Amino acid sequence: MAFLYDILVREFGKRAIAQVPVPAHITDNLKFEQRPYQTEAFQRFILCDSENFEGKPKRPFHLLYNMATGSGKTLIMAGLILHLYQKSYRNFLFFVNSNNIIQKTKDNFLNPQASKSHLSGHLID
C-alpha cells in the first residue's frame, strides 16, 4: 500500500499542492507563524479532505504525522482542529501512551499562558 503522501503527489503534483490556500481560520488563530513544511502539511490535509481521488482513505480518516521532536506536531494538531471545528466537528479523540503527554497537550490547547500554547486567543465561533 502506498503512503498517502505519495498518492497525493502522484494524483495532483507538488505544484497543485503548493497552490492550496491555508484558510485564515487556521493562520489567524495560531500563535506562531508556520514553517514551510507545516504549511505543506495543512495544504495536504485540506486537499485530501476536499478532493476525491483514487486511493483516498475512507472516512473517518486515520492519519499519522511522523515528525521529529520539536518540529511542531502540536501546532499541526491545533491547526487541523481549528479547520475541522470550522467544518462543524466538535469532538476530538487523542490516543497517547503516557498520561504526562495528554496533560501537556491539554495545557497547550486550553491554557493561553502555557509556554507551548499554539492558539492565539481569538478563536473562531
Side-chain angles (χ1 to χ4, degrees), residues 4 8 12 42-53 56-57 59 61 63 80 83-84 87 89:
L4 182 57
L8 288 169
F12 299 101
F42 291 134
Q43 291 169 318
R44 288 176 181 276
F45 178 84
I46 292 164
L47 187 65
C48 180
D49 187 47
S50 63
E51 298 290 330
N52 288 319
F53 55 91
K56 182 175 182 171
R59 291 191 186 263
F61 294 145
L63 302 176
L80 294 178
H83 183 66
L84 293 169
K87 294 179 69 167
Y89 290 83

Side-chain angles (χ1 to χ4, degrees), residues 4-96:
L4 182 57
Y5 171 91
D6 295 323
I7 293 170
L8 288 169
V9 170
R10 185 175 59 243
E11 189 73 26
F12 299 101
K14 289 184 178 185
R15 287 188 185 150
I17 294 168
Q19 292 176 353
V20 173
V22 178
H25 61 260
I26 293 176
T27 58
D28 292 352
N29 290 298
L30 293 175
K31 189 186 288 187
F32 304 107
E33 192 167 328
Q34 294 81 61
R35 299 174 197 147
Y37 61 88
Q38 294 166 327
T39 297
E40 186 177 339
F42 291 134
Q43 291 169 318
R44 288 176 181 276
F45 178 84
I46 292 164
L47 187 65
C48 180
D49 187 47
S50 63
E51 298 290 330
N52 288 319
F53 55 91
E54 188 175 326
K56 182 175 182 171
K58 292 183 168 86
R59 291 191 186 263
F61 294 145
H62 297 263
L63 302 176
L64 171 69
Y65 289 83
N66 187 12
M67 299 168 66
T69 300
S71 61
K73 293 179 290 292
T74 306
L75 183 127
I76 296 294
M77 284 184 3
L80 294 178
I81 288 171
L82 288 166
H83 183 66
L84 293 169
Y85 190 89
Q86 182 73 21
K87 294 179 69 167
S88 299
Y89 290 83
R90 294 296 184 263
N91 297 304
F92 301 92
L93 183 62
F94 297 87
F95 289 97
V96 297

